[in-house]
Amino acid sequence: LHHVRGSSQVASMASMASSLAGTPILARPRANKASAGRRALRCNASAVSDKAAADLELGYPFVKIVGQEELKLALTLNVVDSKIGGCLIMGDRGTGKSVAVRALQDLLPEIPVVANDAFNSHPTDPELMGPDALALFRSGKTLEATTMRVPMVEVPLGTTEDRICGTIDIEKALAEGIKAYDAGLLARANRGLLYIDEVNLLDDSLVDVILDSAAGGWNTVEREGISITHPAKFIMIGSGNPEEGELRPQLLDRFGMACNITTIFDKAQRVQLVKNRMAFEEDPEGFAKGCADETNALRAKISAAQKILPSVTMDRDLALKISSVCALVDVDGLRGDIVVTRSAKALVAYEGRTEVTAADIQRVIGPCLSHRLRKDAMDTMDGSFKVMLGFNKIFNGSALKSFADVMEEGIADPAVKAADEAKAAKPVEKKAGAWGGL
């Protein structure tokens, strides 16, 4: 009898699933009030716990990150101009890659959004609206607006394509008989940041999906009878350890900027970093309050840069030289030209100016082009040296001009090198009774 009852339940569920595969069942009766109340209670409890966890979790302040100036500049410029295309951060383990990215969220301003909208839709801009808000906007209805901090969404390694793109809302389908879209991570990251830690370990097919949405700014879902297109405009940031694997050159090109992070060996910086970290762990709230003025000043500087950015200009001769450098170092496509131009303008706006100079281009051209020089998966990713030689050739007339600045990090101090050679050439004193060998 138990087996028969179980079979009838399976048949009933199969019938329900087959009916949902067709047109939406609008006449299906809603669940009773008691079950609806239980669902609402579960949802509210989850929301309260999530909010409490968010309140308790304080990120490490961005302004207290010691060293890693290139990384901090690249992240800041992407906030100033989100169209740069994001940033790829590769480096040794324990160098603060994830800490810097998560700390970036505190610098982001608040944005206007439609209340209770899964796509973070803009109340007045149709290009930044999800399908539901766009339909109401076109019908002439006024959308209820509110504000929220720019969202930051993390993509876990164990995620699936359904979780990233979104899929059918099973609970709503079974309870109400309606085909509804359950928004994925791309929808939640719209108008915000999408962070992929250990991006080099994520499945290539998932990386392709994310990069396609990042490049086009839209996500299209076609599955289980659902057809929906929604905006997915976000700043994409990836990080990883190159010892654990590299990204394909085709994927590297989709990131706007790239930074290679190394371990800090300066003793003073290491000591300061350890002190800051221990102080933060002892009293996160007090540590954050102690640098609140610096954080607010940096946030205000970024907001001012975003307002200045449209008025920044670049001389045509500089634009031609940028393209000449890209051609000289054999960069495929035109993304390199575009990203260098946008990054240089963002840097000028960040520093409160309106005119791009050759010095501004020199500061950003390395992170913008270095990762685009890999033609083979076995090549090393760091091509900043070749990029700077190309810059000197085009902008200064000679690749060897300012060569000392180009090689500053790659050449050892001559005095130290001479001392090491003299020490190595000095004969080793033999101990008493030691056998001289042959």
Side-chain angles (χ1 to χ4, degrees), residues 393-436:
K393 176 67 176 178
I394 299 298
F395 280 80
N396 300 326
S398 173
L400 298 181
K401 190 172 182 179
S402 302
F403 190 72
D405 296 334
V406 178
M407 297 291 291
E408 181 179 359
E409 296 183 0
I411 292 182
D413 187 351
V416 176
K417 185 176 180 181
D420 292 340
E421 291 177 352
K423 184 177 180 181
K426 185 178 180 181
V428 180
E429 296 182 1
K430 297 181 180 180
K431 296 183 180 180
W435 177 60

Side-chain angles (χ1 to χ4, degrees), residues 2 9 31 33 70 87 110 116 119 123 148 151 166 182 202 222 329 360 409 415 430 437:
H2 177 74
Q9 290 176 351
K33 294 183 179 180
E70 182 180 285
C87 182
E110 291 191 346
N116 302 319
F119 305 95
M148 66 175 290
D182 185 12
L202 193 66
E222 298 280 354
V329 298
D360 299 321
E409 296 183 0
K430 297 181 180 180

Side-chain angles (χ1 to χ4, degrees), residues 139-434:
S139 66
K141 295 183 179 180
T142 302
L143 302 176
E144 182 183 354
T146 184
T147 59
M148 66 175 290
R149 179 65 61 86
V150 171
M152 179 175 176
V153 178
E154 292 194 35
V155 179
L157 282 180
T159 190
T160 62
E161 186 175 344
D162 287 348
R163 190 69 193 97
I164 292 176
C165 297
T167 185
I168 188 171
D169 189 336
I170 299 298
E171 182 178 356
K172 195 167 186 177
L174 295 177
E176 303 179 18
I178 300 175
K179 289 180 183 176
Y181 174 69
D182 185 12
L185 298 179
L186 295 181
R188 291 172 49 197
N190 184 39
R191 305 177 64 199
L193 280 77
L194 186 73
Y195 176 44
I196 313 172
D197 195 10
E198 306 294 348
V199 62
N200 50 333
L201 301 182
L202 193 66
D203 187 78
D204 282 349
S205 62
L206 301 182
V207 177
D208 286 333
V209 170
I210 296 173
L211 291 178
D212 286 341
S213 297
W218 295 88
N219 176 41
T220 301
V221 181
E222 298 280 354
R223 60 184 64 201
E224 288 90 23
I226 288 180
S227 177
I228 186 174
T229 299
H230 66 81
K233 305 179 188 299
F234 49 81
I235 302 172
M236 182 177 58
I237 302 175
S239 66
N241 185 353
E243 295 178 355
E244 298 172 347
E246 294 281 3
L247 282 173
R248 289 184 285 125
Q250 296 86 345
L251 300 181
L252 288 173
D253 184 64
R254 306 296 287 273
F255 286 93
M257 306 179 74
C259 299
N260 289 302
I261 307 303
T262 58
T263 304
I264 297 176
F265 292 103
D266 181 83
K267 292 181 289 186
Q269 288 187 338
R270 292 172 73 103
V271 170
Q272 185 62 47
L273 192 151
V274 172
K275 287 183 177 180
N276 289 348
R277 186 65 196 182
M278 293 181 67
F280 173 76
E281 291 178 353
E282 291 177 1
D283 184 10
E285 187 174 354
F287 188 79
K289 288 182 178 179
C291 59
D293 292 341
E294 296 178 68
T295 301
N296 292 334
L298 182 55
R299 188 183 297 119
K301 188 176 180 180
I302 292 175
S303 298
Q306 292 173 336
K307 297 177 181 178
I308 297 174
L309 184 61
S311 62
V312 175
T313 59
M314 175 186 290
D315 188 72
R316 176 175 172 79
D317 181 62
L318 293 179
L320 291 174
K321 289 183 177 180
I322 290 174
S323 296
S324 298
V325 174
C326 293
L328 180 63
V329 298
D330 195 21
V331 173
D332 293 334
L334 297 176
R335 285 196 182 102
D337 307 56
I338 297 172
V339 171
V340 173
T341 302
R342 287 191 176 279
S343 300
K345 289 186 175 182
L347 175 62
V348 170
Y350 178 66
E351 295 183 347
R353 297 179 282 114
T354 58
E355 184 69 28
V356 177
T357 65
D360 299 321
I361 298 173
Q362 184 178 10
R363 290 175 61 184
V364 300
I365 197 169
C368 293
L369 298 183
S370 62
H371 59 298
R372 305 179 194 276
L373 305 186
R374 285 185 67 193
K375 307 298 180 181
D376 188 274
M378 301 302 293
D379 294 340
T380 59
M381 192 178 70
D382 188 13
S384 295
F385 174 72
K386 184 178 178 181
V387 171
M388 293 312 301
L389 288 180
F391 175 86
N392 286 329
K393 176 67 176 178
I394 299 298
F395 280 80
N396 300 326
S398 173
L400 298 181
K401 190 172 182 179
S402 302
F403 190 72
D405 296 334
V406 178
M407 297 291 291
E408 181 179 359
E409 296 183 0
I411 292 182
D413 187 351
V416 176
K417 185 176 180 181
D420 292 340
E421 291 177 352
K423 184 177 180 181
K426 185 178 180 181
V428 180
E429 296 182 1
K430 297 181 180 180
K431 296 183 180 180

